[in-house]
Amino acid sequence: MDINNRISEIGVVPVIKLSNPQRDAAPLAKALTEGGVPVAEVTFRAAGADEAIRIMRETCPDMLVGAGTVLTMEQVDKAIAAGAQFIVTPGFDPELVAYCCEKNIPIYPGCTTPTDYHAALKFGLKVLKFFPAEQSGGLAKIKAMSAPFPMFKVMPTGGISLKNLKEYISCPVICACGGSYMVTADLIENGKWDEIIDLCKKSVEIVKEARNG
Ligand code: 3PG
């Protein structure tokens, strides 16, 4: 199964920022896997993101681990060297997109405007990150954008939680929702792995309900 399909099947993508990858990356990978959410977008906003990616992939080889908040080609290289399986960028940078396409690694650039979508179309991308989702017009904007651009699926991130996950994931344009609500700094810093497992399970339940009902 390709990476787009695997992400879509899981339905939620935890956005992870680790201050202590040596301590937290392995237990976090196990908790996400146990919770039924074996995927992570590890943000380069924290130093040591590549180390976190490497540890998560080694700990849970079946897990899908990507790099987030990627801003430079050097970070793309670092992420790939660490074993990242996809790249996420906050905005649309044509050079970075071209670089990832050349390297054959899936890239989900942040797109929220018709201009962004036009640019993404030129690269033949199929899945876009819609970021920051709530702040950019949320579900109403995602639906409006899908009228002229029905070829894209989107991964909204920013302001999504258990409260609005069902509303978002019920929209057929949306293949998965990103968020940090199940992997907050408090949960990670305090090693609340059981709570993380629980939040993942609840998310999976919501995705199932939305898709079956
Ligand atoms: C991201 O980096 O993609 C977002 O900041 C995550 O947004 P959230 O914290 O509102 O889920």
mmCIF file with all atom_site columns, all heavy atoms in Angstrom, residues 29-54:
data_model
loop_
_atom_site.group_PDB
_atom_site.id
_atom_site.type_symbol
_atom_site.label_atom_id
_atom_site.label_alt_id
_atom_site.label_comp_id
_atom_site.label_asym_id
_atom_site.label_entity_id
_atom_site.label_seq_id
_atom_site.pdbx_PDB_ins_code
_atom_site.Cartn_x
_atom_site.Cartn_y
_atom_site.Cartn_z
_atom_site.occupancy
_atom_site.B_iso_or_equiv
_atom_site.pdbx_formal_charge
_atom_site.auth_seq_id
_atom_site.auth_comp_id
_atom_site.auth_asym_id
_atom_site.auth_atom_id
_atom_site.pdbx_PDB_model_num
ATOM 1   N N   . ALA A 1 29 ? 6.601  6.096  20.288 1.00 0.00 ? 29 ALA A N   1
ATOM 2   C CA  . ALA A 1 29 ? 6.318  5.259  19.110 1.00 0.00 ? 29 ALA A CA  1
ATOM 3   C C   . ALA A 1 29 ? 5.480  4.046  19.524 1.00 0.00 ? 29 ALA A C   1
ATOM 4   O O   . ALA A 1 29 ? 4.511  3.681  18.847 1.00 0.00 ? 29 ALA A O   1
ATOM 5   C CB  . ALA A 1 29 ? 7.624  4.819  18.451 1.00 0.00 ? 29 ALA A CB  1
ATOM 6   N N   . LYS A 1 30 ? 5.841  3.451  20.664 1.00 0.00 ? 30 LYS A N   1
ATOM 7   C CA  . LYS A 1 30 ? 5.093  2.263  21.136 1.00 0.00 ? 30 LYS A CA  1
ATOM 8   C C   . LYS A 1 30 ? 3.659  2.647  21.496 1.00 0.00 ? 30 LYS A C   1
ATOM 9   O O   . LYS A 1 30 ? 2.713  1.917  21.203 1.00 0.00 ? 30 LYS A O   1
ATOM 10  C CB  . LYS A 1 30 ? 5.790  1.660  22.361 1.00 0.00 ? 30 LYS A CB  1
ATOM 11  C CG  . LYS A 1 30 ? 7.059  0.906  22.003 1.00 0.00 ? 30 LYS A CG  1
ATOM 12  C CD  . LYS A 1 30 ? 7.639  0.274  23.259 1.00 0.00 ? 30 LYS A CD  1
ATOM 13  C CE  . LYS A 1 30 ? 9.089  -0.102 23.035 1.00 0.00 ? 30 LYS A CE  1
ATOM 14  N NZ  . LYS A 1 30 ? 9.851  -0.240 24.268 1.00 0.00 ? 30 LYS A NZ  1
ATOM 15  N N   . ALA A 1 31 ? 3.497  3.801  22.151 1.00 0.00 ? 31 ALA A N   1
ATOM 16  C CA  . ALA A 1 31 ? 2.155  4.222  22.578 1.00 0.00 ? 31 ALA A CA  1
ATOM 17  C C   . ALA A 1 31 ? 1.266  4.506  21.360 1.00 0.00 ? 31 ALA A C   1
ATOM 18  O O   . ALA A 1 31 ? 0.104  4.089  21.322 1.00 0.00 ? 31 ALA A O   1
ATOM 19  C CB  . ALA A 1 31 ? 2.252  5.473  23.456 1.00 0.00 ? 31 ALA A CB  1
ATOM 20  N N   . LEU A 1 32 ? 1.808  5.181  20.364 1.00 0.00 ? 32 LEU A N   1
ATOM 21  C CA  . LEU A 1 32 ? 1.008  5.491  19.165 1.00 0.00 ? 32 LEU A CA  1
ATOM 22  C C   . LEU A 1 32 ? 0.597  4.200  18.458 1.00 0.00 ? 32 LEU A C   1
ATOM 23  O O   . LEU A 1 32 ? -0.552 4.045  18.036 1.00 0.00 ? 32 LEU A O   1
ATOM 24  C CB  . LEU A 1 32 ? 1.805  6.389  18.203 1.00 0.00 ? 32 LEU A CB  1
ATOM 25  C CG  . LEU A 1 32 ? 2.141  7.800  18.714 1.00 0.00 ? 32 LEU A CG  1
ATOM 26  C CD1 . LEU A 1 32 ? 3.052  8.524  17.724 1.00 0.00 ? 32 LEU A CD1 1
ATOM 27  C CD2 . LEU A 1 32 ? 0.882  8.620  18.959 1.00 0.00 ? 32 LEU A CD2 1
ATOM 28  N N   . THR A 1 33 ? 1.549  3.274  18.371 1.00 0.00 ? 33 THR A N   1
ATOM 29  C CA  . THR A 1 33 ? 1.255  2.002  17.712 1.00 0.00 ? 33 THR A CA  1
ATOM 30  C C   . THR A 1 33 ? 0.180  1.246  18.495 1.00 0.00 ? 33 THR A C   1
ATOM 31  O O   . THR A 1 33 ? -0.793 0.742  17.922 1.00 0.00 ? 33 THR A O   1
ATOM 32  C CB  . THR A 1 33 ? 2.547  1.167  17.583 1.00 0.00 ? 33 THR A CB  1
ATOM 33  O OG1 . THR A 1 33 ? 3.500  1.937  16.850 1.00 0.00 ? 33 THR A OG1 1
ATOM 34  C CG2 . THR A 1 33 ? 2.318  -0.139 16.858 1.00 0.00 ? 33 THR A CG2 1
ATOM 35  N N   . GLU A 1 34 ? 0.349  1.205  19.810 1.00 0.00 ? 34 GLU A N   1
ATOM 36  C CA  . GLU A 1 34 ? -0.641 0.497  20.638 1.00 0.00 ? 34 GLU A CA  1
ATOM 37  C C   . GLU A 1 34 ? -2.023 1.159  20.544 1.00 0.00 ? 34 GLU A C   1
ATOM 38  O O   . GLU A 1 34 ? -3.050 0.489  20.598 1.00 0.00 ? 34 GLU A O   1
ATOM 39  C CB  . GLU A 1 34 ? -0.170 0.455  22.100 1.00 0.00 ? 34 GLU A CB  1
ATOM 40  C CG  . GLU A 1 34 ? -0.984 -0.524 22.919 1.00 0.00 ? 34 GLU A CG  1
ATOM 41  C CD  . GLU A 1 34 ? -0.489 -0.636 24.352 1.00 0.00 ? 34 GLU A CD  1
ATOM 42  O OE1 . GLU A 1 34 ? 0.728  -0.437 24.582 1.00 0.00 ? 34 GLU A OE1 1
ATOM 43  O OE2 . GLU A 1 34 ? -1.326 -0.918 25.236 1.00 0.00 ? 34 GLU A OE2 1
ATOM 44  N N   . GLY A 1 35 ? -2.036 2.470  20.393 1.00 0.00 ? 35 GLY A N   1
ATOM 45  C CA  . GLY A 1 35 ? -3.308 3.190  20.283 1.00 0.00 ? 35 GLY A CA  1
ATOM 46  C C   . GLY A 1 35 ? -3.953 3.074  18.911 1.00 0.00 ? 35 GLY A C   1
ATOM 47  O O   . GLY A 1 35 ? -5.031 3.613  18.684 1.00 0.00 ? 35 GLY A O   1
ATOM 48  N N   . GLY A 1 36 ? -3.294 2.414  17.967 1.00 0.00 ? 36 GLY A N   1
ATOM 49  C CA  . GLY A 1 36 ? -3.878 2.234  16.635 1.00 0.00 ? 36 GLY A CA  1
ATOM 50  C C   . GLY A 1 36 ? -3.584 3.384  15.685 1.00 0.00 ? 36 GLY A C   1
ATOM 51  O O   . GLY A 1 36 ? -4.230 3.519  14.644 1.00 0.00 ? 36 GLY A O   1
ATOM 52  N N   . VAL A 1 37 ? -2.595 4.221  16.056 1.00 0.00 ? 37 VAL A N   1
ATOM 53  C CA  . VAL A 1 37 ? -2.213 5.355  15.198 1.00 0.00 ? 37 VAL A CA  1
ATOM 54  C C   . VAL A 1 37 ? -0.709 5.252  14.892 1.00 0.00 ? 37 VAL A C   1
ATOM 55  O O   . VAL A 1 37 ? 0.101  6.018  15.412 1.00 0.00 ? 37 VAL A O   1
ATOM 56  C CB  . VAL A 1 37 ? -2.550 6.703  15.900 1.00 0.00 ? 37 VAL A CB  1
ATOM 57  C CG1 . VAL A 1 37 ? -2.189 7.890  15.015 1.00 0.00 ? 37 VAL A CG1 1
ATOM 58  C CG2 . VAL A 1 37 ? -4.033 6.771  16.262 1.00 0.00 ? 37 VAL A CG2 1
ATOM 59  N N   . PRO A 1 38 ? -0.324 4.281  14.057 1.00 0.00 ? 38 PRO A N   1
ATOM 60  C CA  . PRO A 1 38 ? 1.106  4.053  13.813 1.00 0.00 ? 38 PRO A CA  1
ATOM 61  C C   . PRO A 1 38 ? 1.692  5.006  12.770 1.00 0.00 ? 38 PRO A C   1
ATOM 62  O O   . PRO A 1 38 ? 2.234  4.588  11.743 1.00 0.00 ? 38 PRO A O   1
ATOM 63  C CB  . PRO A 1 38 ? 1.139  2.595  13.338 1.00 0.00 ? 38 PRO A CB  1
ATOM 64  C CG  . PRO A 1 38 ? -0.181 2.404  12.673 1.00 0.00 ? 38 PRO A CG  1
ATOM 65  C CD  . PRO A 1 38 ? -1.174 3.299  13.371 1.00 0.00 ? 38 PRO A CD  1
ATOM 66  N N   . VAL A 1 39 ? 1.550  6.299  13.037 1.00 0.00 ? 39 VAL A N   1
ATOM 67  C CA  . VAL A 1 39 ? 2.077  7.314  12.113 1.00 0.00 ? 39 VAL A CA  1
ATOM 68  C C   . VAL A 1 39 ? 2.453  8.543  12.930 1.00 0.00 ? 39 VAL A C   1
ATOM 69  O O   . VAL A 1 39 ? 1.840  8.813  13.971 1.00 0.00 ? 39 VAL A O   1
ATOM 70  C CB  . VAL A 1 39 ? 1.037  7.657  11.009 1.00 0.00 ? 39 VAL A CB  1
ATOM 71  C CG1 . VAL A 1 39 ? -0.261 8.140  11.591 1.00 0.00 ? 39 VAL A CG1 1
ATOM 72  C CG2 . VAL A 1 39 ? 1.575  8.695  10.024 1.00 0.00 ? 39 VAL A CG2 1
ATOM 73  N N   . ALA A 1 40 ? 3.470  9.273  12.477 1.00 0.00 ? 40 ALA A N   1
ATOM 74  C CA  . ALA A 1 40 ? 3.873  10.493 13.178 1.00 0.00 ? 40 ALA A CA  1
ATOM 75  C C   . ALA A 1 40 ? 4.483  11.480 12.209 1.00 0.00 ? 40 ALA A C   1
ATOM 76  O O   . ALA A 1 40 ? 5.200  11.088 11.281 1.00 0.00 ? 40 ALA A O   1
ATOM 77  C CB  . ALA A 1 40 ? 4.898  10.152 14.267 1.00 0.00 ? 40 ALA A CB  1
ATOM 78  N N   . GLU A 1 41 ? 4.156  12.743 12.430 1.00 0.00 ? 41 GLU A N   1
ATOM 79  C CA  . GLU A 1 41 ? 4.854  13.825 11.735 1.00 0.00 ? 41 GLU A CA  1
ATOM 80  C C   . GLU A 1 41 ? 5.746  14.459 12.795 1.00 0.00 ? 41 GLU A C   1
ATOM 81  O O   . GLU A 1 41 ? 5.265  15.089 13.733 1.00 0.00 ? 41 GLU A O   1
ATOM 82  C CB  . GLU A 1 41 ? 3.832  14.833 11.190 1.00 0.00 ? 41 GLU A CB  1
ATOM 83  C CG  . GLU A 1 41 ? 4.461  16.055 10.552 1.00 0.00 ? 41 GLU A CG  1
ATOM 84  C CD  . GLU A 1 41 ? 3.432  17.154 10.230 1.00 0.00 ? 41 GLU A CD  1
ATOM 85  O OE1 . GLU A 1 41 ? 2.275  16.830 9.859  1.00 0.00 ? 41 GLU A OE1 1
ATOM 86  O OE2 . GLU A 1 41 ? 3.793  18.324 10.373 1.00 0.00 ? 41 GLU A OE2 1
ATOM 87  N N   . VAL A 1 42 ? 7.041  14.219 12.672 1.00 0.00 ? 42 VAL A N   1
ATOM 88  C CA  . VAL A 1 42 ? 7.988  14.701 13.690 1.00 0.00 ? 42 VAL A CA  1
ATOM 89  C C   . VAL A 1 42 ? 8.517  16.064 13.248 1.00 0.00 ? 42 VAL A C   1
ATOM 90  O O   . VAL A 1 42 ? 9.206  16.169 12.230 1.00 0.00 ? 42 VAL A O   1
ATOM 91  C CB  . VAL A 1 42 ? 9.151  13.710 13.867 1.00 0.00 ? 42 VAL A CB  1
ATOM 92  C CG1 . VAL A 1 42 ? 10.125 14.222 14.919 1.00 0.00 ? 42 VAL A CG1 1
ATOM 93  C CG2 . VAL A 1 42 ? 8.629  12.325 14.243 1.00 0.00 ? 42 VAL A CG2 1
ATOM 94  N N   . THR A 1 43 ? 8.180  17.094 14.013 1.00 0.00 ? 43 THR A N   1
ATOM 95  C CA  . THR A 1 43 ? 8.483  18.442 13.532 1.00 0.00 ? 43 THR A CA  1
ATOM 96  C C   . THR A 1 43 ? 9.938  18.852 13.786 1.00 0.00 ? 43 THR A C   1
ATOM 97  O O   . THR A 1 43 ? 10.489 18.622 14.862 1.00 0.00 ? 43 THR A O   1
ATOM 98  C CB  . THR A 1 43 ? 7.506  19.493 14.120 1.00 0.00 ? 43 THR A CB  1
ATOM 99  O OG1 . THR A 1 43 ? 8.031  20.793 13.856 1.00 0.00 ? 43 THR A OG1 1
ATOM 100 C CG2 . THR A 1 43 ? 7.291  19.354 15.595 1.00 0.00 ? 43 THR A CG2 1
ATOM 101 N N   . PHE A 1 44 ? 10.494 19.474 12.744 1.00 0.00 ? 44 PHE A N   1
ATOM 102 C CA  . PHE A 1 44 ? 11.861 19.997 12.839 1.00 0.00 ? 44 PHE A CA  1
ATOM 103 C C   . PHE A 1 44 ? 11.917 21.299 13.627 1.00 0.00 ? 44 PHE A C   1
ATOM 104 O O   . PHE A 1 44 ? 12.961 21.935 13.687 1.00 0.00 ? 44 PHE A O   1
ATOM 105 C CB  . PHE A 1 44 ? 12.457 20.175 11.429 1.00 0.00 ? 44 PHE A CB  1
ATOM 106 C CG  . PHE A 1 44 ? 13.252 18.983 10.985 1.00 0.00 ? 44 PHE A CG  1
ATOM 107 C CD1 . PHE A 1 44 ? 12.621 17.820 10.592 1.00 0.00 ? 44 PHE A CD1 1
ATOM 108 C CD2 . PHE A 1 44 ? 14.640 18.998 10.977 1.00 0.00 ? 44 PHE A CD2 1
ATOM 109 C CE1 . PHE A 1 44 ? 13.347 16.698 10.196 1.00 0.00 ? 44 PHE A CE1 1
ATOM 110 C CE2 . PHE A 1 44 ? 15.375 17.885 10.583 1.00 0.00 ? 44 PHE A CE2 1
ATOM 111 C CZ  . PHE A 1 44 ? 14.727 16.732 10.193 1.00 0.00 ? 44 PHE A CZ  1
ATOM 112 N N   . ARG A 1 45 ? 10.788 21.680 14.252 1.00 0.00 ? 45 ARG A N   1
ATOM 113 C CA  . ARG A 1 45 ? 10.816 22.846 15.140 1.00 0.00 ? 45 ARG A CA  1
ATOM 114 C C   . ARG A 1 45 ? 11.660 22.548 16.373 1.00 0.00 ? 45 ARG A C   1
ATOM 115 O O   . ARG A 1 45 ? 12.127 23.456 17.048 1.00 0.00 ? 45 ARG A O   1
ATOM 116 C CB  . ARG A 1 45 ? 9.388  23.183 15.593 1.00 0.00 ? 45 ARG A CB  1
ATOM 117 C CG  . ARG A 1 45 ? 8.829  24.368 14.877 1.00 0.00 ? 45 ARG A CG  1
ATOM 118 C CD  . ARG A 1 45 ? 7.403  24.574 15.297 1.00 0.00 ? 45 ARG A CD  1
ATOM 119 N NE  . ARG A 1 45 ? 6.498  23.721 14.552 1.00 0.00 ? 45 ARG A NE  1
ATOM 120 C CZ  . ARG A 1 45 ? 5.229  23.564 14.839 1.00 0.00 ? 45 ARG A CZ  1
ATOM 121 N NH1 . ARG A 1 45 ? 4.695  24.170 15.869 1.00 0.00 ? 45 ARG A NH1 1
ATOM 122 N NH2 . ARG A 1 45 ? 4.469  22.797 14.096 1.00 0.00 ? 45 ARG A NH2 1
ATOM 123 N N   . ALA A 1 46 ? 11.808 21.261 16.684 1.00 0.00 ? 46 ALA A N   1
ATOM 124 C CA  . ALA A 1 46 ? 12.654 20.893 17.828 1.00 0.00 ? 46 ALA A CA  1
ATOM 125 C C   . ALA A 1 46 ? 13.975 20.348 17.301 1.00 0.00 ? 46 ALA A C   1
ATOM 126 O O   . ALA A 1 46 ? 13.992 19.593 16.321 1.00 0.00 ? 46 ALA A O   1
ATOM 127 C CB  . ALA A 1 46 ? 11.955 19.833 18.667 1.00 0.00 ? 46 ALA A CB  1
ATOM 128 N N   . ALA A 1 47 ? 15.064 20.740 17.949 1.00 0.00 ? 47 ALA A N   1
ATOM 129 C CA  . ALA A 1 47 ? 16.376 20.182 17.574 1.00 0.00 ? 47 ALA A CA  1
ATOM 130 C C   . ALA A 1 47 ? 16.332 18.686 17.853 1.00 0.00 ? 47 ALA A C   1
ATOM 131 O O   . ALA A 1 47 ? 15.635 18.247 18.774 1.00 0.00 ? 47 ALA A O   1
ATOM 132 C CB  . ALA A 1 47 ? 17.460 20.847 18.400 1.00 0.00 ? 47 ALA A CB  1
ATOM 133 N N   . GLY A 1 48 ? 17.038 17.912 17.044 1.00 0.00 ? 48 GLY A N   1
ATOM 134 C CA  . GLY A 1 48 ? 17.059 16.465 17.296 1.00 0.00 ? 48 GLY A CA  1
ATOM 135 C C   . GLY A 1 48 ? 15.872 15.749 16.678 1.00 0.00 ? 48 GLY A C   1
ATOM 136 O O   . GLY A 1 48 ? 15.608 14.586 16.994 1.00 0.00 ? 48 GLY A O   1
ATOM 137 N N   . ALA A 1 49 ? 15.154 16.425 15.772 1.00 0.00 ? 49 ALA A N   1
ATOM 138 C CA  . ALA A 1 49 ? 14.011 15.771 15.126 1.00 0.00 ? 49 ALA A CA  1
ATOM 139 C C   . ALA A 1 49 ? 14.479 14.543 14.346 1.00 0.00 ? 49 ALA A C   1
ATOM 140 O O   . ALA A 1 49 ? 13.810 13.502 14.338 1.00 0.00 ? 49 ALA A O   1
ATOM 141 C CB  . ALA A 1 49 ? 13.304 16.749 14.186 1.00 0.00 ? 49 ALA A CB  1
ATOM 142 N N   . ASP A 1 50 ? 15.651 14.658 13.704 1.00 0.00 ? 50 ASP A N   1
ATOM 143 C CA  . ASP A 1 50 ? 16.140 13.512 12.926 1.00 0.00 ? 50 ASP A CA  1
ATOM 144 C C   . ASP A 1 50 ? 16.454 12.322 13.834 1.00 0.00 ? 50 ASP A C   1
ATOM 145 O O   . ASP A 1 50 ? 16.186 11.175 13.489 1.00 0.00 ? 50 ASP A O   1
ATOM 146 C CB  . ASP A 1 50 ? 17.344 13.885 12.047 1.00 0.00 ? 50 ASP A CB  1
ATOM 147 C CG  . ASP A 1 50 ? 18.462 14.552 12.799 1.00 0.00 ? 50 ASP A CG  1
ATOM 148 O OD1 . ASP A 1 50 ? 18.212 15.206 13.834 1.00 0.00 ? 50 ASP A OD1 1
ATOM 149 O OD2 . ASP A 1 50 ? 19.621 14.406 12.366 1.00 0.00 ? 50 ASP A OD2 1
ATOM 150 N N   . GLU A 1 51 ? 16.951 12.633 14.992 1.00 0.00 ? 51 GLU A N   1
ATOM 151 C CA  . GLU A 1 51 ? 17.231 11.556 15.965 1.00 0.00 ? 51 GLU A CA  1
ATOM 152 C C   . GLU A 1 51 ? 15.912 10.886 16.390 1.00 0.00 ? 51 GLU A C   1
ATOM 153 O O   . GLU A 1 51 ? 15.821 9.655  16.484 1.00 0.00 ? 51 GLU A O   1
ATOM 154 C CB  . GLU A 1 51 ? 17.920 12.172 17.183 1.00 0.00 ? 51 GLU A CB  1
ATOM 155 C CG  . GLU A 1 51 ? 18.567 11.158 18.095 1.00 0.00 ? 51 GLU A CG  1
ATOM 156 C CD  . GLU A 1 51 ? 19.069 11.786 19.386 1.00 0.00 ? 51 GLU A CD  1
ATOM 157 O OE1 . GLU A 1 51 ? 18.926 13.012 19.567 1.00 0.00 ? 51 GLU A OE1 1
ATOM 158 O OE2 . GLU A 1 51 ? 19.589 11.027 20.215 1.00 0.00 ? 51 GLU A OE2 1
ATOM 159 N N   . ALA A 1 52 ? 14.892 11.712 16.626 1.00 0.00 ? 52 ALA A N   1
ATOM 160 C CA  . ALA A 1 52 ? 13.581 11.169 17.014 1.00 0.00 ? 52 ALA A CA  1
ATOM 161 C C   . ALA A 1 52 ? 13.037 10.264 15.918 1.00 0.00 ? 52 ALA A C   1
ATOM 162 O O   . ALA A 1 52 ? 12.517 9.167  16.186 1.00 0.00 ? 52 ALA A O   1
ATOM 163 C CB  . ALA A 1 52 ? 12.609 12.311 17.295 1.00 0.00 ? 52 ALA A CB  1
ATOM 164 N N   . ILE A 1 53 ? 13.178 10.705 14.663 1.00 0.00 ? 53 ILE A N   1
ATOM 165 C CA  . ILE A 1 53 ? 12.686 9.904  13.522 1.00 0.00 ? 53 ILE A CA  1
ATOM 166 C C   . ILE A 1 53 ? 13.415 8.557  13.510 1.00 0.00 ? 53 ILE A C   1
ATOM 167 O O   . ILE A 1 53 ? 12.799 7.492  13.388 1.00 0.00 ? 53 ILE A O   1
ATOM 168 C CB  . ILE A 1 53 ? 12.908 10.662 12.191 1.00 0.00 ? 53 ILE A CB  1
ATOM 169 C CG1 . ILE A 1 53 ? 11.979 11.878 12.131 1.00 0.00 ? 53 ILE A CG1 1
ATOM 170 C CG2 . ILE A 1 53 ? 12.710 9.744  10.985 1.00 0.00 ? 53 ILE A CG2 1
ATOM 171 C CD1 . ILE A 1 53 ? 12.286 12.864 11.002 1.00 0.00 ? 53 ILE A CD1 1
ATOM 172 N N   . ARG A 1 54 ? 14.741 8.615  13.676 1.00 0.00 ? 54 ARG A N   1
ATOM 173 C CA  . ARG A 1 54 ? 15.546 7.387  13.635 1.00 0.00 ? 54 ARG A CA  1
ATOM 174 C C   . ARG A 1 54 ? 15.114 6.415  14.741 1.00 0.00 ? 54 ARG A C   1
ATOM 175 O O   . ARG A 1 54 ? 14.885 5.226  14.485 1.00 0.00 ? 54 ARG A O   1
ATOM 176 C CB  . ARG A 1 54 ? 17.032 7.742  13.787 1.00 0.00 ? 54 ARG A CB  1
ATOM 177 C CG  . ARG A 1 54 ? 17.967 6.615  13.478 1.00 0.00 ? 54 ARG A CG  1
ATOM 178 C CD  . ARG A 1 54 ? 19.427 7.056  13.400 1.00 0.00 ? 54 ARG A CD  1
ATOM 179 N NE  . ARG A 1 54 ? 19.742 7.774  12.187 1.00 0.00 ? 54 ARG A NE  1
ATOM 180 C CZ  . ARG A 1 54 ? 20.121 9.059  12.128 1.00 0.00 ? 54 ARG A CZ  1
ATOM 181 N NH1 . ARG A 1 54 ? 20.239 9.763  13.239 1.00 0.00 ? 54 ARG A NH1 1
ATOM 182 N NH2 . ARG A 1 54 ? 20.377 9.636  10.973 1.00 0.00 ? 54 ARG A NH2 1
#
